Amino acid sequence: MSDVTTTATPEVLDVGALPSLADYGYDGGRGGYRRFCANVFQSDGPRFLRSERGALVMFRHADLRAMATVPQLTTLAPAQMFGGMLAGPPPEEPPVGFAMADLIKNQLFSTNAPLNPVLRRILLNQIGPKPTAALADSTRSLATDILEALPTGTPIDLVRDVAEPLIGRYWGGLIGMTDEEALRAAAEARKMTPMLFLRQTPESVAEADAAAKVYRATVEQASDRNGARPVMAKIAEELAAVDIPDDLDHVGYVPRTAGAFLAGNLFDGFHTAALAATNTIYALLGRPEVLAELRSSPDKVAAAVSECLRLEPPVIHLNRFAHDDIHYDGHLIPKGTHVMIMWGVAGRDPAAFPDPDTFDLSRSQQGSTSFGGGAHICPGRFAATLMAKSLVEAVLQSGLTIRRVEGPDDWIDNNAMCQLRRLPVVLERAPSGKYLCTEDSKGGI
């Protein structure tokens, strides 16, 4: 049992009696996220809520930061996410949804202690802060090459023509993919988005499952072909040394090959990192004054990316599970309670980030929740922020202006993420290296 704060007689938190997410305007996606933040942080706003499926919802920054340290609040293991679909040997004719389940069981986010820290270390040895920092120059060059190859003066889609090629070729370089394979993996990861929907249909599950098959085959084939590369060889060696029994109900599953390990974990690498790069540019498009400051002070790009991702976070919420009773601030959260952790919302909590709707380059990002927190914080956050930063730097150094094409935003609703389906823009190159400034209603950079 965990005692975050101790009281003599904690009150059992009655989740069923709490107000609902819908009462405060949340129904998934970026639109629901913005409505929710505008409503829930009023002076008389609630502390806890319940989801449509009866989970306890936590969204205030202080609560999320405290709960992230509680070992009894665990992530959902494979059997909790996919029921009995993974029990026993793989079926000869897999049902719809099996490809997703069989992929995600190899993912770090579906493991708990003692397995989670072991697999996390194996992954961070390859994509942690030091190996990622070593790729800063090449990633910026990659972003520059992608931008320079695109036409100017005619609409392109920043999602598919810029963000996905950047993220795909970044991770593809790690594995040894061809450019064609890297772009296919990035596109199929996007097609798996329906697995993140709050309300799924047979059609959406089938769509995501079909994409999971192609995505996994693409990543694993490249990994197997390049098994002698240092990255793959080291991962395979370290996985083989893991001596922790599989436990699909709680601890998780030890991937059998480097290819399966990378396919499971790089789904988030391809998907979430593409959102981070896109959302960063989206946040800057309507703020020409910020871009002007960055052009004169390029050392502030990292701070700008952090502030962009606070305002336009890729991840709105993730799901957790009380593996044991949790005593928290006078409340007892009973064992077996499902908990929705709204990491993206915590970034707009005025108690942690005063005047939260204002873009502030000098704002401290201490306690940022854009990539989660605690033992399950996103291990790919270093690469995701590097790619977003590299894209902004490439734009600044290239003399390009990116201008929005007029039209409504195309955010995907019913989603646990803030994700644009597409972002039509026009690239314009200034003569003689001079920057173009556009300050129309849609802005530009």
Side-chain angles (χ1 to χ4, degrees):
M1 183 182 299
S2 176
D3 288 290
V4 179
T5 57
T6 303
T7 62
T9 55
E11 179 183 354
V12 176
L13 192 57
D14 183 358
V15 177
L18 295 171
S20 73
L21 278 171
D23 293 337
Y24 289 85
Y26 185 70
D27 56 2
R30 197 257 192 179
Y33 156 75
R34 293 296 295 267
R35 286 192 301 273
F36 182 75
C37 291
N39 294 331
V40 82
F41 289 121
Q42 301 297 323
S43 59
D44 58 348
R47 183 174 184 182
F48 306 116
L49 294 168
R50 61 175 168 83
S51 74
E52 181 179 335
R53 296 185 178 181
L56 170 65
V57 178
M58 305 185 80
F59 57 91
R60 293 188 179 272
H61 185 271
D63 289 332
L64 267 58
R65 294 281 292 173
M67 292 297 287
T69 67
V70 178
Q72 285 73 17
L73 188 65
T74 61
T75 192
L76 296 181
Q80 292 176 298
M81 284 190 280
F82 300 105
M85 188 173 286
L86 295 172
E92 290 186 10
E93 295 187 9
V96 174
F98 181 81
M100 284 191 299
D102 201 46
L103 171 69
I104 299 304
K105 77 177 183 183
N106 295 282
Q107 193 179 73
L108 185 67
F109 282 128
S110 65
T111 64
N112 293 298
L115 182 58
N116 181 276
V118 174
L119 295 184
R120 180 174 292 271
R121 183 168 59 251
I122 293 173
L123 189 59
L124 287 176
N125 284 342
Q126 306 304 327
I127 68 167
K130 287 186 178 180
T132 299
L135 296 174
D137 290 342
S138 61
T139 306
R140 186 167 53 252
S141 295
L142 174 59
T144 299
D145 290 346
I146 290 169
L147 290 171
E148 289 183 347
L150 291 170
T152 57
T154 187
I156 64 167
D157 179 5
L158 193 131
V159 174
R160 302 190 188 194
D161 296 327
V162 180
E164 284 185 5
L166 173 61
I167 276 63
R169 290 171 62 185
Y170 178 94
W171 293 120
L174 178 75
I175 300 173
M177 286 178 157
T178 65
D179 284 353
E180 180 182 0
E181 290 172 326
L183 294 176
R184 183 189 312 133
E188 296 301 325
R190 167 173 40 81
K191 293 177 185 177
M192 290 169 64
T193 294
M195 70 178 290
L196 302 168
F197 285 176
L198 277 66
R199 296 166 296 280
Q200 297 182 341
T201 65
E203 293 77 17
S204 68
V205 172
E207 178 184 347
D209 199 56
K213 293 177 185 177
V214 179
Y215 162 80
R216 180 172 184 171
T218 303
V219 175
E220 286 195 307
Q221 286 168 8
S223 299
D224 293 345
R225 184 180 68 241
N226 296 292
R229 289 170 67 99
V231 169
M232 259 69 73
K234 187 63 174 175
I235 290 175
E237 176 189 349
E238 293 180 340
L239 285 175
V242 177
D243 186 20
I244 298 173
D246 293 335
D247 174 9
L248 296 179
D249 293 315
H250 177 61
V251 174
Y253 175 85
V254 181
R256 301 301 188 251
T257 67
F261 181 67
L262 287 169
N265 287 287
L266 291 189
F267 163 64
D268 290 297
F270 281 102
H271 186 265
T272 308
L275 271 59
T278 301
N279 290 7
T280 294
I281 297 300
Y282 175 88
L284 292 173
L285 279 171
R287 296 178 172 90
E289 72 286 355
V290 174
L291 265 297
E293 186 170 355
L294 294 181
R295 293 193 195 282
S296 60
S297 302
D299 58 307
K300 296 181 179 180
V301 169
V305 170
S306 295
E307 186 71 341
C308 287
L309 296 181
R310 182 189 68 81
L311 288 166
E312 303 290 351
V315 179
I316 303 173
H317 62 80
L318 295 172
N319 297 313
R320 295 287 183 262
F321 181 75
H323 187 64
D324 201 348
D325 288 348
I326 299 172
H327 288 184
Y328 179 63
D329 200 18
H331 301 281
L332 171 62
I333 302 172
K335 176 181 178 179
T337 300
H338 287 261
V339 184
M340 179 185 286
I341 300 291
M342 302 193 78
W343 292 117
V345 173
R348 284 181 180 263
D349 185 345
F353 301 99
D355 198 9
D357 293 332
T358 297
F359 192 106
D360 183 357
L361 271 175
S362 64
R363 187 189 298 277
S364 170
Q365 297 294 330
Q366 185 175 3
S368 170
T369 58
S370 296
F371 292 97
H376 296 285
I377 192 170
C378 177
R381 64 193 183 280
F382 309 105
T385 52
L386 171 65
M387 286 183 264
K389 178 174 178 286
S390 298
L391 179 54
V392 175
E393 289 172 339
V395 171
L396 295 175
Q397 294 170 12
S398 67
L400 283 172
T401 290
I402 303 178
R403 176 172 53 80
R404 283 285 306 276
V405 174
E406 292 290 338
D409 293 339
D410 194 7
W411 296 96
I412 299 176
D413 296 328
N414 180 35
N415 196 356
M417 318 288 279
C418 287
Q419 179 176 355
L420 281 159
R421 186 174 284 103
R422 61 186 64 85
L423 180 55
V425 299
V426 172
L427 304 181
E428 296 175 342
R429 194 177 303 278
S432 304
K434 294 183 179 180
Y435 296 112
L436 296 173
C437 296
T438 60
E439 298 186 9
D440 57 20
S441 61
K442 289 294 181 183
I445 59 176

